[in-house]
Amino acid sequence: MPAIQTDDLTKRFGSGEAAIVALDGLDLTVDRGEVFGFLGPNGAGKSTTINILLNFLDPTEGRAEVLGYDVQSESMEVRKRTGVLPEGCEVFERLTAREHVEWMKETKDADEDTMEILETVGIPEAADRKAGGFSKGMQQRLALGMALVGDPELLILDEPSSGLDPTGMQ
């Protein structure tokens, strides 16, 4: 079973002559264990595809499955098994890095070690600092750590290197 499967996935915004076609019949298969990247210019439909896979948007036509679950009728199953780093993710300024990860652990009913997650993303020294003082790169690392909570079967990362220096990207 593929990690992601789309069949004739289409998304139009608006109707008639003024409709904007964001996706036009996308057929896509991403196998489990595969690292897959969407590449394309702004407006190519990358984020629209991700938003449909997470059931934040309904497709106009076609269908999509994530980990064997229909994204529309079984979206909660998809979300339980998926870690997401959305484009432009913002952190809560008044919470510490530790509090962000703890909140995500509570949300996902997970029991990972918070410090281990912060070490994995390279910000253990910031565990007890308020995220409002973080650089863009540190915020991005924290958001990635939050996406890793619950040991997801699938990671969906939208613009994951945004704000990161070369070391952070690695």
Side-chain angles (χ1 to χ4, degrees):
M1 158 186 32
I4 297 172
Q5 177 79 46
T6 70
D7 298 303
D8 197 33
L9 199 61
T10 300
K11 180 61 179 176
R12 284 186 290 279
F13 294 97
S15 61
E17 295 287 323
I20 296 171
V21 179
L23 291 175
D24 190 11
L26 177 66
D27 293 324
L28 173 69
T29 301
V30 179
D31 291 323
R32 286 177 179 257
E34 182 176 3
V35 175
F36 182 87
F38 286 123
L39 299 176
N42 293 345
K46 302 177 299 288
S47 293
T48 298
T49 301
I50 289 171
N51 286 329
I52 291 172
L53 294 174
L54 296 171
N55 198 34
F56 297 149
L57 284 176
D58 290 332
T60 307
E61 296 171 22
R63 64 185 310 272
E65 289 185 355
V66 172
L67 302 168
Y69 296 98
D70 181 274
V71 299
Q72 290 186 282
S73 64
E74 300 173 293
S75 64
M76 291 309 294
E77 294 301 321
V78 170
R79 290 183 189 168
K80 283 182 197 175
R81 293 164 171 76
T82 306
V84 179
L85 172 61
E87 178 184 17
C89 180
E90 293 188 20
V91 297
F92 298 104
E93 291 184 6
R94 292 186 173 146
L95 296 182
T96 66
R98 182 186 311 273
E99 290 169 329
H100 277 88
V101 174
E102 293 289 333
W103 173 68
M104 188 58 63
K105 285 172 45 179
E106 193 174 306
T107 300
K108 288 193 165 191
D109 196 26
D111 62 358
E112 285 106 330
D113 180 85
T114 298
M115 286 307 297
E116 189 174 308
I117 289 171
L118 294 174
E119 287 169 13
T120 298
V121 297
I123 57 168
E125 74 289 345
D128 297 311
R129 286 180 39 207
K130 292 191 185 288
F134 287 7
S135 68
K136 173 67 176 152
M138 288 177 69
Q139 289 181 22
Q140 192 76 343
R141 287 172 182 244
L142 175 56
L144 176 58
M146 293 169 66
L148 294 173
V149 168
D151 193 24
E153 294 177 50
L154 176 68
L155 274 176
I156 296 180
L157 312 174
D158 195 357
E159 302 285 346
S161 61
S162 178
L164 294 178
D165 58 26
T167 303
M169 286 182 207
Q170 282 204 330

